[in-house]
Amino acid sequence: MPDFVLHVRADGTLQEAVSLVRGDEPAHAVTWVSLEGEPSGARDVLESWGFHSLAVEDVLRAHTRSKFERYPGHGFARVPALDRSTDDPLDTVGIYVFLRPGTVVTIAPSGAHAIAAARDAVRAHPLRGGHCTERILHAILDEVAEEYEQVVSTFEPRLERLLAPDPSAHGRARSQGLAARIRLLDDLRTDGLQLRRVLAPFREMVARVSEPAGGASPESLVFFRDVLDHVQYMVEECDLVGQIVSGRITTLEAELRDEVTRANDRLNQVMKYMAAMSTLLLPMTIVSGAFGMNFQDIPWADHPHGFWMATGTMLLAAMALLGVFRVRRWI
């Protein structure tokens, strides 16, 4: 059962239906049959419409890479649209479009909201692009490009936030902040690369449709070229963001290495002084341990100034070690 059937008449009026039998399309009108669901369930419908076996095979394999091909008697387009049914904003799903004179058949899962948006566009502007099947294809391509452009428009604000310096952070907080910014910048670069992998073939497909040899009517070519301009802009924007992010990540990684080096130097300095203090206290420990042994006769044990003499010995030993450290420039 089709999701909807839309008849666009030559006078600009619209008529909607819920079903259509092949051969009952009204004359002097463009009929759009939209099938919603998994592509694998559309085999019988596609074969009954007599579409080329290679195009049907592309649908059943559920490829999402962009494609436009002219077969005997009809055209076929495979359009990667954003999948709104998942949590990943960059997940894509395939929209499959069959074009023959007076009839358009589209197959798309429920996550492809571009189909509903294109239907609303056709309702709002029934004369858009002329009275031909290409106007339906243009409406779909335009809505798909609009969804991608909304994603691309978020790249610049994300980049501005991540490029803004944080002068208040110091020490360990600065190192953690630099590492977090590098991760976020890398996520932005990954999103740009992922989107570009979709948009580059999409651009080539729209370019093929925009060529006069592609079979589109002259009235429709200007609309397809408009979509092509938008897609070209998005590809260039992804490239630019990728270059800026890569350069910034390189700079931040250098800053992070410097910050880690400074932190290690500070730690080494602290450890050096702690080791020196422990060494200076070692003679005192030895002397105090010697006078604390359990023997009957201990030097200075009965001397009236024995405590101060032992303390002086400990201090002299520590000062002698300190002098050695200073001479050797260990501290």
Side-chain angles (χ1 to χ4, degrees), residues 4-17 26 28-32 118-128 130-132 135-136:
F4 66 84
V5 177
L6 182 64
H7 304 295
V8 185
R9 300 185 181 279
D11 58 1
T13 59
L14 304 176
Q15 178 184 355
E16 295 194 42
H28 307 294
V30 175
T31 299
W32 179 6
R119 177 180 59 179
D120 294 338
V122 172
R123 286 172 174 170
H125 307 284
L127 299 179
R128 187 179 183 185
H131 301 291
C132 58
R135 65 181 298 278
I136 306 293

Side-chain angles (χ1 to χ4, degrees), residues 215-287:
S217 62
E219 296 84 1
S220 299
L221 291 179
V222 64
F223 292 95
F224 288 124
R225 292 195 189 102
D226 179 69
V227 177
L228 180 60
D229 288 340
H230 287 279
V231 179
Q232 178 65 30
Y233 156 75
M234 289 186 284
V235 172
E236 294 174 354
E237 189 72 10
C238 290
D239 290 338
L240 180 61
V241 169
Q243 294 173 6
I244 295 175
V245 168
S246 296
R248 188 56 179 166
I249 286 178
T250 301
T251 303
L252 291 178
E253 286 176 341
E255 293 181 12
L256 181 60
R257 286 193 297 269
D258 292 342
E259 191 66 31
V260 171
T261 300
R262 287 193 292 269
N264 289 336
D265 290 342
R266 290 193 295 268
L267 179 61
N268 291 337
Q269 192 72 13
V270 171
M271 294 301 296
K272 182 175 71 172
Y273 282 113
M274 290 180 63
M277 292 301 298
S278 299
T279 305
L280 292 176
L281 292 174
L282 181 61
M284 301 181 183
T285 304
I286 295 175
V287 173

